[in-house]
Amino acid sequence: MVTLGLLVRLEAKPGKEADVENFLKGGLPLVDQEPATTAWFAIRLGPSTFGIFDVFPDESGREAHLSGRVAAALQENAELFAQAPDIQKLDVVAAKLPGVLAT
């Protein structure tokens, strides 16, 4: 069951859009190593706006992710972004995931 999530908005610097897309694709193997990250999505919201949406069963899973390798990679690649990531913590009120009971 997932109860918590994160929505992270990322704005690429002009000319860095392809680099941000590749950076996000490269994050998947890192997230695969996080057992408490139930689902993780890298998304494109517009020409230069990207995002990450992920969900967790509890606060300890979310905090582990926030202090994990993807978060570190975001900081290490700050030159790709026009501004700091906008990280929003959220509560999941309902979910449908394969093999996961709805909340």
Side-chain angles (χ1 to χ4, degrees):
M1 177 169 36
V2 296
T3 61
L4 302 173
L6 293 169
L7 178 61
V8 181
R9 290 180 63 98
L10 305 163
E11 189 65 34
K13 283 186 179 176
K16 297 290 186 183
E17 297 84 0
D19 294 329
V20 170
E21 184 173 328
N22 289 330
F23 167 78
L24 290 171
K25 288 177 181 177
L28 185 57
L30 301 177
V31 175
D32 279 341
Q33 298 174 24
E34 298 179 354
T37 302
T38 305
W40 182 87
F41 301 90
I43 55 177
R44 189 171 201 155
L45 300 164
S48 62
T49 306
F50 296 83
I52 299 170
F53 173 71
D54 37 20
V55 294
F56 313 90
D58 54 33
E59 186 62 35
S60 64
R62 180 164 64 182
E63 288 304 317
H65 178 72
L66 285 170
S67 62
R69 293 178 66 195
V70 174
L74 278 171
Q75 291 178 349
E76 292 167 8
N77 290 277
E79 75 279 357
L80 298 177
F81 305 106
Q83 59 205 30
D86 176 21
I87 301 172
Q88 298 176 23
K89 292 182 176 182
L90 53 92
D91 295 327
V92 175
V93 296
K96 179 186 182 286
L97 296 169
V100 178
L101 297 176
T103 55

